[in-house]
């Protein structure tokens, strides 16, 4: 399949092209401002699907709306007519309540040109009316409030919100890409149809700003923010893509003593804390219990003897685990427990706790694990 994509250097196009390549979608014919007229003519002649993403949405003068959105669409249609092409056309337009009236009218006129051609040529036409698409590779300080906020917040710059209560509908670029690819594959319609992306997130400009600011604060605390809601998860992925690369690597505090080391790796108020524990050969750690806190121990290197003793019954359970076989040991509340290195190399264990350690309420009480013979 040969797919022509106009506006190939744009935000949505970059994401779409990468995923089409991931899925080995035949030959991609890419058209942008650098494409020569004769190249575009060849692409039109060859293509089986046309994804028309090109357009002007932030011009230096309003005349550019007409030239970029209407005249270019008209030019493409004339080439299609000249080549007598009957193909599937996918067009990204804008919502009809767009505040930018001239932009909206230019996109609407382009829709009408494509509509007319589709009816006359018996071609399939799929139209997306999008607004506020966000995600990686979107240009900040251009036409996306999310991209602008992400850039400024990740660079510790102030964001300006004129009306925090202003309503906004957000669409994630990966959801747009997935829908377009499904549209390419669909064979269930003729004529013209309007397609809505499945997931549209209704929010306010103020809420978006608050969420993105909370991500920056979480970074400073070495925390993973709450990502349970799909919109937050997608905003977080977007936010990280705007950070400067040197911030992707950062140092953690390693607490050391004669027994080894302990480093808190991840914190989240939703899922708790992940740490890396190192025990030197012949050394032991732990010998404490919790009322409510629960943990999981996962040895990734070395050999460990993990002992649990029930605080009421005195029953002791021993587990010998090593990095050679993937095993997890659950540490329930009410059991005092210890972990000893019984090997000849450093014992490295990934530990998860269901809550972040709180110095004021540690829920950690010293108690030596008794042996079975005691």
């Amino acid at each position: 399949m040969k797919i022509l994509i106009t506006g190939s250097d744009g935000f949505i196009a970059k994401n779409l092209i990468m995923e089409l390549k991931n899925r080995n979608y035949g030959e991609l014919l890419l058209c942008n401002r650098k494409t020569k007229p004769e190249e575009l003519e060849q692409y039109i002649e060859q293509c089986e699907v046309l994804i028309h993403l090109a357009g002007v949405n932030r011009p230096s003068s309003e005349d550019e709306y007409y030239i970029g959105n209407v005249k270019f669409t008209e030019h493409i249609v004339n080439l299609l007519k000249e080549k007598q092409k009957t193909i599937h056309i996918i067009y990204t337009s804008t919502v009809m309540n767009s505040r930018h009236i001239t932009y909206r009218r230019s996109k609407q006129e382009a829709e009408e040109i494509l509509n007319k051609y589709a009816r006359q040529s018996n071609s399939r036409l799929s139209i997306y009316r999008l607004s506020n698409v966000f995600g990686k590779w979107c240009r900040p300080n251009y036409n996306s409030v999310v991209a602008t906020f992400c850039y400024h917040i990740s660079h510790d710059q102030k964001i300006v919100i004129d009306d925090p209560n202003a309503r906004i509908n957000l669409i994630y670029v990966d959801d747009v890409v997935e829908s377009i690819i499904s549209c390419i594959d669909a064979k269930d319609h003729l004529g013209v149809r309007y397609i809505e992306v499945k997931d549209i997130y209704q929010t306010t400009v103020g809420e978006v700003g608050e969420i993105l600011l909370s991500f920056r604060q979480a970074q400073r605390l070495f925390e993973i923010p709450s990502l349970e809601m799909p919109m937050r998860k997608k905003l977080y992925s977007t936010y990280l893509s705007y950070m400067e690369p040197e911030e992707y690597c950062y140092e953690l505090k390693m607490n050391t003593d004669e027994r080894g080391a302990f480093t808190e790796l991840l914190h989240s108020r939703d899922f708790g804390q992940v740490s890396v524990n190192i025990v030197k050969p012949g050394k032991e750690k732990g010998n404490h219990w919790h009322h409510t806190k629960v943990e999981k121990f996962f040895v990734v290197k070395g050999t460990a003897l993990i002992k649990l003793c029930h605080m009421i019954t005195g029953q002791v359970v021993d587990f010998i685990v090593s990095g050679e076989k993937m095993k997890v040991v659950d540490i329930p509340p009410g059991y005092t427990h210890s972990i000893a290195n019984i090997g000849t190399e450093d014992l490295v264990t990934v530990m998860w706790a269901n809550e972040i350690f709180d110095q004021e309420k540690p829920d950690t009480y010293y108690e030596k694990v008794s042996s079975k013979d005691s």
Side-chain angles (χ1 to χ4, degrees):
M1 180 186 295
K2 293 186 178 181
I3 302 173
L4 169 57
I5 301 175
T6 67
S8 62
D9 54 357
F11 161 49
I12 295 176
K14 289 175 183 175
N15 285 272
L16 175 62
I17 290 165
M18 291 302 295
E19 188 56 24
L20 288 172
K21 288 180 177 179
N22 284 342
R23 302 190 193 188
N24 298 314
Y25 261 78
E27 185 178 350
L28 304 181
L29 310 172
L30 307 182
C31 170
N32 53 51
R33 289 180 176 85
K34 296 179 181 178
T35 303
K36 297 176 181 178
E38 57 270 23
E39 289 179 308
L40 176 57
E41 188 172 347
Q42 291 173 5
Y43 292 164
I44 292 288
E45 189 165 7
Q46 296 172 28
C47 72
E48 299 161 74
V49 175
L50 165 61
I51 304 177
H52 186 21
L53 304 177
V56 174
N57 51 25
R58 187 62 69 91
S60 55
S61 69
E62 292 207 344
D63 290 343
E64 291 182 39
Y65 281 131
Y66 183 76
I67 296 169
N69 297 332
V70 180
K71 293 300 289 182
F72 185 60
T73 301
E74 200 171 59
H75 177 59
I76 287 176
V77 165
N78 288 336
L79 289 174
L80 289 169
K81 289 178 180 178
E82 182 184 316
K83 305 297 180 183
Q84 298 183 335
K85 300 285 289 188
T86 301
I87 61 172
H88 185 187
I89 303 170
I90 299 171
Y91 180 57
T92 52
S93 185
T94 186
V95 291
M96 290 299 104
N97 62 351
S98 170
R99 290 179 300 170
H100 304 287
I101 297 174
T102 308
Y103 171 64
R104 182 186 70 204
R105 286 175 178 169
S106 67
K107 297 294 279 188
Q108 190 170 13
E109 192 169 338
E111 278 188 32
E112 292 169 358
I113 292 168
L114 292 169
N115 259 292
K116 184 177 179 181
Y117 174 74
R119 290 193 301 270
Q120 290 176 345
S121 65
N122 199 30
S123 293
R124 296 164 62 201
L125 173 62
S126 302
I127 296 177
Y128 287 85
R129 287 176 171 171
L130 303 174
S131 68
N132 300 308
V133 181
F134 71 98
K136 63 186 182 301
W137 305 330
C138 186
R139 181 177 165 190
N141 302 313
Y142 188 60
N143 67 330
S144 167
V145 64
V146 173
T148 302
F149 283 2
C150 283
Y151 180 83
H152 285 281
I153 290 171
S154 65
H155 289 73
D156 293 319
Q157 298 173 8
K158 186 178 180 181
I159 60 172
V160 178
I161 300 176
D162 295 327
D163 181 6
N165 297 315
R167 304 298 303 176
I168 184 173
N169 292 336
L170 298 180
I171 305 173
Y172 188 51
V173 69
D174 284 7
D175 295 329
V176 176
V177 166
E178 189 63 40
S179 181
I180 290 176
I181 292 176
S182 296
C183 184
I184 293 171
D185 294 335
K187 309 294 183 185
D188 58 351
H189 88 282
L190 295 174
V192 180
R193 68 170 178 171
Y194 291 86
I195 304 174
E196 285 191 0
V197 177
K198 182 179 178 182
D199 295 314
I200 299 176
Y201 304 107
Q202 298 179 342
T203 181
T204 65
V205 175
E207 183 181 21
V208 172
E210 287 176 5
I211 291 171
L212 295 174
L213 285 167
S214 75
F215 294 160
R216 191 60 170 173
Q217 180 64 20
Q219 273 184 294
R220 294 191 175 101
L221 299 174
F222 302 105
E223 290 185 7
I224 302 295
S226 173
L227 303 176
E228 182 179 359
M229 302 302 292
M231 184 183 77
R232 291 182 65 94
K233 178 182 176 183
K234 293 168 182 178
L235 282 171
Y236 186 61
S237 296
T238 303
Y239 167 78
L240 290 179
S241 72
Y242 285 87
M243 289 170 51
E244 291 298 322
E246 54 266 27
E247 283 200 78
Y248 296 151
C249 182
Y250 48 90
E251 188 175 348
L252 298 173
K253 181 183 178 183
M254 179 182 285
N255 301 289
T256 61
D257 59 24
E258 74 283 355
R259 299 170 302 167
F262 183 81
T263 305
E264 296 176 3
L265 178 61
L266 299 174
H267 302 84
S268 170
R269 302 191 185 281
D270 291 334
F271 70 75
Q273 176 176 301
V274 177
S275 305
V276 176
N277 188 46
I278 299 174
V279 183
K280 294 183 179 298
K283 299 295 183 179
E284 181 183 65
K285 287 188 177 184
N287 289 303
H288 60 243
W289 63 282
H290 316 291
H291 275 301
T292 304
K293 184 187 298 184
V294 296
E295 297 173 304
K296 291 179 183 287
F297 291 180
F298 174 49
V299 172
V300 296
K301 180 186 175 184
T303 304
L305 171 61
I306 299 174
K307 303 179 73 171
L308 287 79
C309 177
H310 194 285
M311 291 297 295
I312 302 299
T313 66
Q315 179 188 11
V316 176
V317 183
D318 293 352
F319 299 99
I320 295 178
V321 291
S322 75
E324 295 180 0
K325 192 169 185 178
M326 299 293 181
K327 286 187 176 181
V328 172
V329 177
D330 277 332
I331 312 296
Y335 278 82
T336 188
H337 50 278
S338 64
I339 180 168
N341 185 345
I342 58 174
T344 58
E345 60 180 344
D346 281 357
L347 171 66
V348 181
T349 307
V350 176
M351 297 180 170
W352 169 81
N354 66 331
E355 60 185 48
I356 298 174
F357 181 76
D358 184 349
Q359 191 70 45
E360 300 298 320
K361 297 180 180 179
D363 188 16
T364 301
Y365 308 96
Y366 176 79
E367 183 73 29
K368 182 75 174 176
V369 179
S370 302
S371 68
K372 290 183 178 179
D373 297 330
S374 63

